[in-house]
Amino acid sequence: MKKILPLIFAIVISLSFSGCKKGDIKTLNSIGYGSSFGMCVGYCSNNLLISDLKLTFSKSKNGQTADTKTCSKTISEADINAIKNELNLEKISALPEVIGCPDCADGGAEWIAISADGKQYKITYEYGKAPKELEAAVARLKVLKDSFKDCN
């Protein structure tokens, strides 16, 4: 019995540390994703918001009259968890708020915003050049954004 007790204690301790990886999101409030082009005609700004099992997509024109179109649909918890699993808050918090020169020379800008575990993060970067820490999540978000092609 004296030999088994330390073994059981060691197993319990190791299991308590293996449940969560450092940087995993515990409570996800929302994820935002978007792109914009400053020197553009038509719908130049696209925004996607995921919150409470709902996807809300909006697009707007540049200029004095924004003329915003908005569409929404539901999203499964499994899809949200797939995106959530691609995000590591420890790595994201180490990123600068602006990476490169977003929308310089009309190259466009992309951003991702995360509200989780009582903190907010927003990273803006050059269009099509997501930092490696965000690439997988951004790829999933682009697929969701593209599902709104018929939003008129």
Side-chain angles (χ1 to χ4, degrees), residues 31-104:
I31 300 173
Y33 167 73
S35 63
S36 63
F37 292 84
M39 298 297 289
C40 165
V41 176
Y43 290 94
C44 306
S45 178
N46 296 292
N47 297 295
L48 181 71
L49 177 66
I50 302 171
S51 181
D52 298 325
L53 300 178
K54 184 177 177 185
L55 281 173
T56 304
F57 172 77
S58 62
K59 61 183 181 178
S60 58
K61 292 181 177 181
N62 287 342
Q64 292 177 346
T65 309
D67 189 23
T68 302
K69 307 269 186 198
T70 303
C71 299
S72 62
K73 56 183 159 184
T74 60
I75 183 171
S76 72
E77 196 164 339
D79 286 339
I80 292 174
N81 286 334
I83 297 166
K84 181 176 148 181
N85 291 337
E86 300 291 354
L87 298 170
N88 180 299
L89 292 184
E90 185 176 316
K91 291 179 181 179
I92 290 169
S93 66
L95 291 172
E97 289 182 21
V98 177
I99 299 171
C101 189
D103 210 15
C104 291

